[in-house]
Structure formats: C-alpha cells, structure tokens
C-alpha cells in the first residue's frame, strides 16, 4: 500500500517496513510496450482513444475515476491483474503499481486494441464500462464485494477549504569573508564544488541519442564535454522545428530569501533556454514548477507561501505561464535524536517551440580573430554573494541573494538575445549561473584545446573583483563577430551590457578588473573541474577506468575527414519529398524492449527503400516470412531488458520458434539479400553467428570494460573493406553515437581472421568505449553482405544529430552515413 502516501511524509517517520513497501518500480521495457501500443492507436487514421490516464498516485481509484469523471462507471476488480490472491479490495484499488495506463474506447474498437497489444506483448484487460449515471462503482463480480459505490459528486465536488497556520521564522546567515589576494585559490575551490564541476560521470552513462531526433544534448565541442545550457529535440525527422527544454534552481539562495530563490530559479531556466531560437521569443515558453520543501516544520509553510507568491508574481510580470508542476512536501529526514531539512526550493523546467534546431548556440568559444565577448545583465541589481557556490566553499550562505529587479527589462533583454540567435550573430554563449561569471568564462574555453581569453571586466563597473567573478546574478556572456549590429540590437532593447574582451590563441586566460590583474592556466583549471567527476566515476567504473578516463578526456578530441562528400541529398539520388513506393523492400526487425526502430526506419526510407515494421511476434506467428524483403535491419535497444544478457533472449526467440527460425534461414540462404545489425541488433547477429569468418572463428560480445553503460559521441575510421555498405567510404573519419552496456568485441585469434571495416579512431578509453579487441566497432561477413556494428549510424545521418559537427559545413543536408544505405539500395537494384 506504500507509495504516494509514504512520499508525503518525512523519511523515518513510519516503520521501515511501511516505507520499504512503497511501490516505486521502474520497468522501462513494459512502459515501451504500452507506449508502442498506444502510439499505434494514436497514429492511426481514426484514433479510437476517447480518454486516457496514467496509473500513478492514487492507484486505480484515481486513474479510473478520472477517466469516467463526466459519465460515471463500473469497474470489475476481478478483471484487474492481481499477482497475489490474498490482496484485499482496498489493496487492489489503492495500490500504486506503475507502468499501467487506463483508457476509454468504444466497444467496437476493443478488438483492434487487443490485436495491437498482443503484437507488442503489452498485457491488456477490459475491466469495466462508462455508465452515464454519474455513479462510480468498484465491484468484484466473482465475490460480490462492492467496496465503492457512490456518486462521483462525493469525489469531485467542492473540496473543503484547507487553512494552514504558521509563523514566520527569520534566517540569519553570515556573509562570507574573503581576501582578494586569494582569488586564484577561490577559483580552484569553486570549480571542484559538485554543483559547478563537470557532470561527465552522470552524462556518460545515459542514452543521449535515442529517438534520432536529439538536436542538442549535454555534450558540446570537440571534446564533447557536458556544458550545454539547453536540450533540443526535433518534432519529426523531416523538418527543422523542435522543442527546447532547460532547468533552473537556486536552493541555497532560497535559504536566504524564499522569494529570491523562486525568482532565480525561473531566471536560470530562462537564461539557459534563451540559446534556442524560439518561435515567439519569451512568449513561446511554458514552465513547470517542482516544489521541493520540508513543509509542516516551523516557519516552512510561511516560506513556501512566500516562494509561491514570488514565482507567481514574477511569472506574471514576464508573461510566462506555469500550467503544471509537482510538489514533494516531505523533504525531511528524521533520526532518533535529530531532524535534517532539505533547503526549500523550486526546480523550474522551461520548454518552448524552436523555429530551427540548427541555430541553437553552444557555450564553446570560437577561435576566430576579430570577435568580441559581451557581458549582458539580466538581474539589474548589485552583485551579491549570498547563495553562491563561492559562499558555500567558505562554509557560508550569505546575507543577501541576488534577484531580478526589473522584470520588464528582463523580457526585453531576453528577446534581444533571441533576435541575435535568430540572426546568427552569436558564435558562442553561456549563462551566468552556478559558480558565477568566472565559471562561465572558463567553461567557454573548456570544450576545446585551442582557445584562450584576454579580458577587461572594468566596463561592467563592479570594483570588487571577488563579487564580480563569483556572484550569481542572472546574466549571459556572448561571443560575436558582428559587434556593431549586436550592440545596436541590445541598445534598442534597453539591455545592460559591456564589451569585456576577445579570444586569443593558446590556453592562457588574462583577466583585468580595475586594479586587479589575474593570469590563469585554463588546462590546469579544467583538470580540477573534471577531477570531481573522476572522483564520483570511481564509484561506478572502478579506479582504473575512471582514472584512464580522467587522463584521456582531453586527448579524445573529435576530428573528421569527409573526403569528397558534399552533403547534398540530390547527389545520392535521395528525394526527401518522396511519397510513392520505390519497389525496394526493407524490414525493420524488432523485439520487445528495442528503441532504435523509428529513426532507422526513417533513414532507410529516406535512402529510397519501402520500409516494413516487423515485430518478432509477426515472425513467430507466421504473419511475416521475409520472402519479399531484400534488406533486414536488426535495430538497437534493450531486448528483453538485457535480463539474459544483451540479445540472448532475442536470439532465443529465433532459435526456439520454428517459423521465425525458418524465415531467417531462408532469408540468409538467398543471394539477393543484405542485413545490418546495430547495437542490440549487432549483438543479436553475433549471438546467432550471422557474421561468419572463413576459418570458423566465432566472435562474441562482452560487457564493457568499464562495467557500465557507455554513452558517447566518438570518431570512427572506415578502413579498406569489402562491405557492400561501406566499401566506397574507405578513408573517411566520421562521428557517431554509441549507447550500450555490452559492446565489447571479443575476437579470438588474429585481426586478419576477421573482416573489420570500422574502428574507433582511438584505442584508449573512452575513445574505445568498451575495450573491443583491435578497437573494433563493426565486423562484416566475408562476402560483404552482412554488417554488424555497435555505433548508431541511424542517429548520425543528419548534421544536427552530431554532438560536434564541422563548423565549415553549415549547408550539409545529410552526413556521409547516408551513403551506407544508398550503397545497399544500389546493390539491390543491380540484383533485381
């Protein structure tokens, strides 16, 4: 029965058995099966879904009652999936088991849903009906129990007014004391604070490329370091429109002033999202507020009231709505003799529609002569150190936190930056947030190995260099080559800004402010910034691999060779507007849990194939035989949740189901067929022995040497080869995503025993992310028809897919990876 009820009380308040009984499972494979089922309905010509609701807090009671809120309904609890027959009706109705969706359909559409659910292996149950009498009933048709039977008005009528009594409690914190002579030491300390330091330990283990619509993720620059301000995903595979998202929070500043904490959280989310060109500038944005608060403690209800009021007032003043959110009011940990409160804060998630994903600005300084850096203020108040990372490193909080003093001017400045982004006038840009202005300036130099800075901050007008460098007043820094036009746009908007310097070759960082002059070593400070990530990474990758990553991150620089490739679709015979069949048939083969099917299907379609979606249930049942298919692609993901080891469960579905086995054997027996396996599909091909060697030596796949999931964008070299898909790409060095936990090629014998067309450009970790023998990234059959590769080419066929794309190729429509599928198309044409 644990769940939402437990999450609403202080940890430690209940018996451990009750708290541990909270249902907070995560089964992403089941979620994906359900999602695929619902998507099939939603994308059909006539979507039969009348109403839909997720199963979360409140369990079946909340989910199902809200589905029939306007009609009433009857629910038969005997039809609900129950694993334990001893559960009471209360437990069945109120439990909060996840990965369930409730939906309402007309009776004639139930059979369609059932067929789709069976194909996707998503369990489905018909559990009741809408009645139209506004009566809501839970009953068990087998036992006759009827635990709930009442009018919906009792549930959704006017709720009682809640009144909370509290008294204000004033916090008094000390100001940090500091000595300007110690600035360099302060910088080193701030850069190592977890909230400021590199987050590579976190981003390197999550899939940042899945869907093939990711246009901007955490990693940036030739070194692919996680410093991006905003995440962007495209709306589809064809256009340039997208959705941007960012976050903001200010927990320490919120201790000083709950109101300022709210304003700073919203401001940070907006100075992060401002780098994506939004269709209607600031009015494109909606916010979600996640309140994290130790409520019900003395003074805290009063503080959250102030915080919510301030968030409301500021959002209204800047014309941005907050239509949704969440609250966790139990941020308290109770011990036998002590209580620990989390700092009350609101975590703001901002989102908005992007007009062109190719124009998103990154915080990577460009080594271009004649460019200027501008500081642009968003706070319009004095620099204050309260709530800053600098104060934290001195074990202080501070007396006064910054805020935004002029909301109208904030909006005008935001929109001016948007105009600069839309016009392409900003080469690089970064927000001023955790760590202050000095962190912003240094991070802009971190993602490459070539750039330094020569700065004079005196025009900003703050004589106290410590305050200037470390205060976290909202603002941004931009690099521009068209200084006159940029200044004109900012001036017309009434923005507060100053010219502060320019980039220089080399790695020296020279800074002047009033009478203070500082010279810093960027590479030394970058190592300190990355060191905190290394210390955390030791817990997940082990000492050896974490240390190897730490030493090599700066050597793992992305660089490419495109040969004579010109980036034009027309020169590859690609028609992006094609809507008629080509006659060349390909099949995407997927199993439950895979997640790379959509992007692969579009890439193959774009190259000129007619693409068929084939689930393993289609092959097992005999609905699909592959007889008309010339190219099959086993796609990436996590079939069977990798419970049995990567692709082993998927392989078993072929080995131990007669119809599926025969369909595959017959396909490979033909001489007019090609196959491609990517990631999980590569593991499957190796497990099934579909990539044979002449001497019978069998390769195998093993866990990454780091013993964890690896997510990275890496350089890959295409070697001389006989692969149908890669043979005319010899000598190219391209970038692609890897996203796997078991991607190590174990190749017994010598390298010459195998046909290796693709290697990681660097054979050290993390350049070789899994420790593959001979730095192998792909193997192919002796006749070149069958290719198995771990990197995701289907998530790198458009320039915006790449974490770092050559800046001199702004007009490319596609990347060289499209040549692989075009090569397959041409080979098949010759065979037909």
């Amino acid at each position: 029965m644990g769940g939402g009820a437990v999450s609403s009380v202080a940890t430690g308040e209940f018996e451990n058995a009750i708290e541990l009984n909270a249902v907070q499972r995560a089964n992403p494979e089941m979620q994906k099966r359900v999602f695929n089922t619902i998507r099939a309905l939603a994308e059909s010509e006539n979507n039969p879904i009348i109403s839909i609701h997720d199963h979360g807090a409140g369990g079946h009671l909340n989910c199902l009652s809200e589905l029939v809120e306007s009609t009433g309904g009857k629910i038969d609890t005997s039809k609900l999936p129950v694993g334990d027959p001893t559960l009471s009706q209360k437990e069945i109705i109120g439990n909060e088991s996840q990965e369930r969706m409730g939906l309402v359909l007309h009776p004639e559409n139930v059979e369609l849903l059932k067929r789709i659910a069976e194909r996707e292996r998503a369990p489905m149950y018909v559990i009741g009906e809408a009645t139209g009498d506004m009566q809501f009933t839970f009953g068990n048709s087998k036992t006759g129990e009827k635990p709930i039977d009442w009018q919906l008005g009792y549930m959704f009528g006017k709720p009682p007014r809640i009144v909370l009594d509290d008294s204000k409690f004033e916090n008094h914190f000390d100001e940090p004391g500091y000595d300007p002579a110690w600035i360099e030491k302060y910088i080193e300390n701030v850069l190592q604070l977890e909230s400021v330091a590199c987050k590579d330990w976190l981003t390197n283990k999550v899939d940042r490329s899945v869907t093939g619509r990711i246009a901007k993720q955490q990693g940036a620059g030739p070194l692919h370091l996680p410093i991006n301000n905003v995440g962007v995903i495209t709306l589809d595979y064809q256009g340039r429109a997208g959705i941007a998202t960012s976050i903001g929070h200010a927990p320490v500043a919120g201790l000083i002033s709950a109101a300022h904490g709210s304003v700073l959280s919203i401001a940070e989310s907006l100075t992060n999202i401002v780098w994506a060109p939004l269709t209607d500038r600031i009015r494109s944005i909606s916010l979600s507020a996640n309140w994290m608060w130790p409520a019900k403690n003395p003074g805290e209800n009063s503080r959250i009231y102030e915080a919510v009021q301030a968030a409301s007032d500021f959002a209204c003043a800047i014309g941005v709505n907050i239509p949704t959110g969440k609250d966790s009011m139990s941020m308290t940990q109770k011990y036998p003799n002590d209580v620990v409160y989390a700092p009350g804060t609101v975590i703001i998630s901002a989102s908005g529609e992007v007009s062109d994903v190719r124009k998103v600005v990154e915080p990577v300084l460009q080594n271009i002569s004649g460019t200027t850096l501008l500081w642009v203020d968003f706070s319009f108040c004095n620099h204050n150190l309260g709530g800053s990372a600098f104060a934290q490193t001195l074990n202080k909080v501070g007396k006064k936190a910054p805020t935004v003093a002029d909301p109208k001017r904030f909006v005008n400045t935001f929109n001016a930056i948007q105009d600069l982004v839309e016009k392409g006038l900003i080469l690089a840009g970064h927000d001023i947030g955790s760590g202050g202005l000095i962190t912003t300036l240094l991070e802009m130099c971190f993602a490459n190995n070539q750039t330094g800075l020569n700065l004079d901050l005196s025009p900003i007008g703050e004589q106290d260099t410590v305050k200037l460098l470390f205060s976290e007043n909202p603002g941004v820094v931009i690099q521009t080559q068209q200084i006159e036009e940029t200044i004109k746009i900012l001036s017309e908007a009434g923005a507060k800004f100053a010219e502060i310097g320019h980039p220089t070759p080399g790695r020296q960082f020279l800074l002047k402010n009033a009478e203070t002059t500082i010279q810093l070593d960027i590479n030394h400070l970058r190592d300190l910034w990355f060191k905190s990530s290394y210390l955390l990474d030791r817990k997940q990758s082990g000492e050896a691999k974490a240390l190897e990553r730490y030493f090599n991150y700066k050597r793992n620089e992305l660089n490419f060779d495109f040969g004579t490739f010109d980036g034009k679709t027309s020169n590859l015979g690609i028609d992006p507007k094609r809507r008629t069949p080509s006659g060349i048939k390909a099949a995407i083969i997927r199993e439950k849990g895979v997640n790379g099917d959509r992007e692969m299907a579009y890439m193959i379609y774009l190259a000129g194939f007619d693409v068929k979606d084939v689930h393993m249930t289609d092959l097992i049942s005999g609905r699909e035989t592959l007889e008309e298919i010339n190219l099959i692609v086993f796609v990436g993901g996590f079939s069977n949740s990798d419970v049995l080891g990567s692709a082993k469960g998927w392989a078993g579905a072929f080995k131990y189901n007669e119809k599926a086995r025969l369909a595959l054997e017959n396909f490979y027996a033909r001489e007019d067929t090609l196959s491609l396996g990517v990631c999980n599909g590569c593991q499957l091909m190796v497990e099934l022995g579909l990539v044979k060697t002449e001497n019978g030596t069998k390769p195998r796949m093993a866990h990454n040497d780091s013993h964890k999931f690896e997510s990275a964008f890496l350089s890959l070299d295409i070697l001389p080869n006989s692969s149908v898909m890669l043979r005319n790409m010899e000598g190219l060095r391209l970038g692609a995503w890897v996203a796997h936990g078991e991607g190590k090629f174990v190749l017994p014998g010598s390298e010459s025993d195998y046909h290796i067309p693709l290697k990681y450009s660097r054979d050290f970790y993390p350049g070789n992310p899994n420790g593959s023998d001979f730095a192998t990234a792909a193997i192919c059959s002796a006749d070149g028809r069958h290719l198995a590769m771990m990197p995701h080419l289907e998530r790198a066929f458009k320039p915006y897919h790449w974490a770092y794309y050559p800046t001199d190729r702004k007009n490319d429509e596609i990347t060289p990876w499209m040549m692989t599928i075009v090569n397959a198309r041409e080979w098949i044409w010759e065979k037909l």
Side-chain angles (χ1 to χ4, degrees):
M1 285 298 290
V6 169
S7 68
S8 299
V9 299
T11 304
E13 184 171 331
F14 286 165
E15 295 276 346
N16 279 343
I18 297 177
E19 290 181 5
L20 292 174
N21 196 31
V23 179
Q24 300 292 342
R25 297 183 299 130
N27 186 346
E29 183 192 288
M30 184 61 76
Q31 290 177 325
K32 186 65 161 55
R33 295 193 224 173
V34 172
F35 173 73
N36 284 343
T37 302
I38 292 168
R39 185 173 63 185
L41 294 175
E43 293 182 351
S44 61
E45 205 165 305
N46 296 299
N47 181 4
I49 300 174
I50 298 170
S51 181
I52 191 167
H53 197 347
D54 70 304
H55 187 289
H60 290 113
L61 178 62
N62 180 68
C63 173
L64 302 177
S65 64
E66 291 188 7
L67 279 175
V68 296
E69 180 180 352
S70 60
T71 63
K74 292 181 179 180
I75 308 299
D76 186 347
T77 58
S78 71
K79 302 289 181 64
L80 291 168
V82 176
D84 181 354
T86 68
L87 290 178
S88 68
Q89 292 294 293
K90 176 182 177 181
E91 289 168 322
I92 293 170
I93 294 169
N95 87 87
E96 298 180 355
S97 306
Q98 307 296 307
E99 292 91 42
R100 297 180 182 181
M101 299 291 288
L103 59 155
V104 177
L105 303 170
H106 287 295
E108 59 267 25
N109 294 316
V110 171
E111 188 58 34
L112 171 64
L113 172 58
K114 184 178 180 181
R115 291 202 308 271
I116 295 172
E118 286 177 350
R119 181 174 187 255
E120 298 292 343
R121 294 197 179 106
M124 172 227 157
Y125 309 88
V126 179
I127 59 169
E129 62 182 1
T131 57
D133 59 4
M134 298 305 291
Q135 189 78 6
F136 185 61
T137 305
F138 269 103
N140 187 313
S141 61
K142 294 182 178 178
T143 66
E145 296 172 277
K146 195 176 286 186
I148 292 178
D149 187 14
W150 57 18
Q151 282 285 298
L152 282 168
Y154 290 119
M155 298 180 68
F156 299 110
K158 187 176 180 181
R161 184 180 179 86
I162 298 176
V163 178
L164 299 176
D165 292 321
D166 199 12
S167 57
K168 290 190 175 183
F169 181 81
E170 296 294 335
N171 289 322
H172 298 285
F173 301 107
D174 294 334
E175 278 283 88
Y178 52 86
D179 183 344
W182 288 22
I183 283 182
E184 292 184 38
K185 184 62 177 177
Y186 295 149
I187 293 171
E188 292 181 347
N189 291 341
V190 165
L191 289 175
Q192 294 177 79
L193 192 67
E194 191 275 334
S195 61
V196 178
C198 179
K199 306 300 187 296
D200 178 75
W201 68 276
L202 178 61
T203 61
N204 69 38
K205 63 180 180 182
V206 292
D207 193 341
R208 292 170 285 147
S209 58
V210 65
T211 72
R213 294 190 291 121
I214 306 300
K216 199 65 64 184
Q217 40 68 53
Q218 296 95 328
L223 296 184
H224 189 52
L225 294 179
I227 58 173
N228 268 329
N229 301 289
V230 59
V232 180
I233 187 169
T234 61
L235 295 180
D236 53 41
Y237 293 109
Q238 297 173 302
R240 299 170 182 171
I243 294 291
T245 184
S246 68
I247 61 173
H249 73 316
V252 184
L255 288 173
I256 302 170
S257 167
H260 285 192
S262 286
V263 171
L264 289 173
S265 295
I266 295 175
E268 184 184 30
S269 72
L270 297 179
T271 55
N272 276 324
I273 204 173
V274 73
W275 309 108
L278 306 173
T279 53
D280 195 18
R281 301 190 295 181
I282 200 168
R283 296 191 67 84
S284 301
I285 297 171
S286 288
L287 305 178
S288 176
N290 188 348
W291 296 95
M292 312 290 286
W293 218 273
K296 303 177 185 177
N297 292 300
E300 292 299 337
N301 284 347
S302 173
R303 281 178 20 86
I304 193 174
Y305 185 92
E306 293 175 8
V308 173
Q309 186 68 61
S312 174
D313 291 344
F314 184 60
C316 290
I318 62 175
V320 174
N321 66 347
I322 310 180
T324 186
K326 182 182 181 296
D327 60 74
S328 296
M329 296 290 101
S330 58
M331 304 300 290
T332 307
Q333 174 71 51
K334 291 190 174 182
Y335 296 97
N337 300 310
D338 203 359
V339 180
V340 176
Y341 304 152
T345 188
V346 57
I347 300 172
I348 297 292
S349 302
S351 61
E353 185 181 352
V354 176
S355 59
D356 190 338
V357 300
R358 303 172 305 167
K359 294 182 178 181
V360 180
V361 173
E362 291 187 329
V364 183
L365 200 65
Q366 302 296 303
N367 191 14
I368 301 175
S369 61
T371 63
T372 303
L373 264 68
L374 296 175
W375 165 83
V376 184
D377 185 34
F378 274 76
S379 67
F380 317 106
C381 67
N382 294 331
H383 291 89
N384 294 304
L385 292 171
S388 66
F390 168 72
Q392 280 184 265
T393 63
L394 298 176
N395 203 26
K396 301 293 183 182
V397 174
K399 287 185 177 295
K400 192 170 184 180
T403 187
V404 176
D406 190 336
K408 182 177 180 181
R409 205 172 175 190
F410 182 99
V411 171
N412 292 338
T413 304
F414 183 98
N415 288 337
I417 298 294
Q418 280 281 287
D419 290 342
L420 296 174
V421 171
E422 183 64 44
K423 294 175 183 291
L425 297 177
I426 299 179
L427 296 173
H430 203 2
D431 77 306
I432 300 171
S434 296
L437 176 60
I438 186 63
T439 298
T440 298
L441 295 167
L442 285 169
E443 284 187 343
M444 292 179 76
C445 302
F446 282 172
N448 64 41
N449 286 323
Q450 291 80 37
T451 313
L453 276 174
N454 191 341
L455 301 164
D456 184 356
L457 306 184
S458 303
I460 295 176
E462 174 58 70
Q463 299 294 310
D464 187 328
T465 303
V466 172
K467 279 190 174 181
L468 177 59
L469 295 183
F470 296 110
S471 67
E472 297 177 7
N473 293 49
V476 301
V477 173
I478 61 174
Q479 179 190 13
T480 182
Q481 195 168 24
Q482 288 82 28
I483 185 64
E484 292 183 3
E485 188 175 355
T486 299
I487 288 177
K488 181 175 182 290
I489 291 173
L490 291 172
S491 298
E492 289 176 351
K496 180 181 177 182
F497 63 94
E499 295 184 48
I500 60 171
H502 56 84
T504 59
R507 300 299 281 170
Q508 290 302 306
F509 186 104
L510 301 175
L511 185 149
K512 180 179 182 294
N513 182 57
E515 302 302 317
T516 304
T517 301
I518 306 170
Q519 183 171 333
L520 304 172
D521 183 337
I522 294 172
N523 288 343
H524 164 68
L525 293 174
R526 183 176 62 185
D527 281 346
L528 286 178
W529 174 78
F530 203 97
K531 181 181 177 182
S532 298
S533 176
Y534 149 69
L535 295 173
L536 288 162
D537 197 27
R538 292 185 306 173
K539 304 293 185 182
Q540 58 191 17
S541 301
E543 174 64 38
K545 282 298 167 187
L547 188 61
E548 192 175 344
R549 189 182 197 96
Y550 182 39
F551 283 143
N552 289 332
Y553 79 87
K554 61 181 85 59
R555 299 171 55 211
N556 194 29
E557 192 168 4
L558 295 167
N559 55 79
F560 310 115
D561 183 351
F562 282 30
T564 59
F565 181 76
D566 65 3
K568 304 297 182 186
T569 55
S570 57
N571 291 336
L572 290 179
I574 293 173
D575 179 8
K577 297 181 179 179
R578 177 176 72 93
R579 293 294 182 271
T580 56
S582 67
I584 312 176
K585 297 182 179 181
I588 300 294
I589 300 184
R590 61 188 177 93
E591 175 60 301
K592 56 182 181 293
V594 303
N595 56 28
D597 48 306
R598 303 279 277 196
E599 53 265 46
M600 182 64 81
Y602 181 72
M603 183 185 187
I604 295 175
Y605 174 80
L606 184 63
F609 284 86
D610 301 333
V611 186
K612 192 170 189 177
D613 175 56
V614 178
H615 197 287
M616 284 301 297
T617 53
D618 299 325
L619 292 168
I620 292 169
S621 66
R623 287 191 297 265
E624 174 62 56
T625 62
L626 305 178
E627 291 175 356
E628 298 180 346
I629 304 298
N630 295 102
L631 168 67
I632 59 174
V633 183
F634 305 103
V635 294
F638 299 90
S639 58
N640 296 282
S641 299
D642 282 358
V643 169
L644 304 173
S646 295
K648 289 180 173 57
W650 192 356
F654 275 111
K655 290 178 179 178
Y656 306 118
N657 288 283
E658 185 70 8
K659 292 179 180 178
R661 182 181 62 79
L662 286 174
L664 194 67
E665 289 177 355
N666 291 338
F667 178 87
Y668 276 89
R670 289 160 49 196
E671 295 187 357
D672 62 344
T673 61
L674 301 174
S675 66
L676 169 65
V678 175
C679 192
N680 203 198
C682 170
Q683 296 158 347
L684 173 72
M685 291 182 70
V686 171
E687 183 69 23
L688 289 175
L690 298 177
V691 185
K692 294 182 172 62
T693 58
E694 287 94 335
N695 62 5
T697 306
K698 186 177 181 182
R700 63 183 180 86
M701 307 302 298
H703 288 288
N704 300 339
D705 283 354
S706 62
H707 302 288
K708 69 174 180 60
F709 183 89
E710 292 284 345
S711 171
F713 190 83
L714 301 168
S715 295
L716 297 151
D717 293 331
I718 301 178
L719 309 180
N721 68 88
S722 59
S723 166
V724 168
M725 296 186 187
L726 294 171
R727 61 189 171 196
N728 65 344
M729 299 171 66
E730 173 187 337
L732 299 189
R733 172 172 285 189
L734 306 179
W737 285 97
V738 295
H740 57 251
E742 198 170 323
K744 179 178 180 177
F745 281 95
V746 179
L747 305 177
S750 65
E751 184 174 349
S752 60
D753 292 336
Y754 304 91
H755 297 276
I756 303 174
L758 189 68
K759 286 189 176 186
Y760 299 108
S761 300
R762 295 174 177 85
D763 197 13
F764 55 74
Y765 179 74
N768 178 347
N770 42 54
S772 288
D773 293 343
F774 319 120
T776 303
I779 56 176
C780 70
S781 59
D783 60 7
R785 290 166 48 204
H786 309 297
L787 176 65
M789 60 187 294
M790 287 307 298
H792 286 273
L793 77 170
E794 81 284 9
R795 300 177 188 174
F797 67 89
K798 287 201 171 183
Y800 66 72
H801 288 143
W802 290 37
Y804 172 67
Y805 201 73
T807 55
D808 59 345
R809 304 188 64 95
K810 296 183 184 298
N811 296 320
D812 283 8
E813 298 167 345
I814 52 174
T815 76
W817 288 116
M818 278 302 302
M819 295 170 62
T820 60
I821 311 302
V822 170
N823 289 337
R825 180 195 72 195
E826 296 302 305
W827 186 89
I828 292 170
W829 265 126
E830 293 176 4
K831 297 292 181 181
L832 293 180

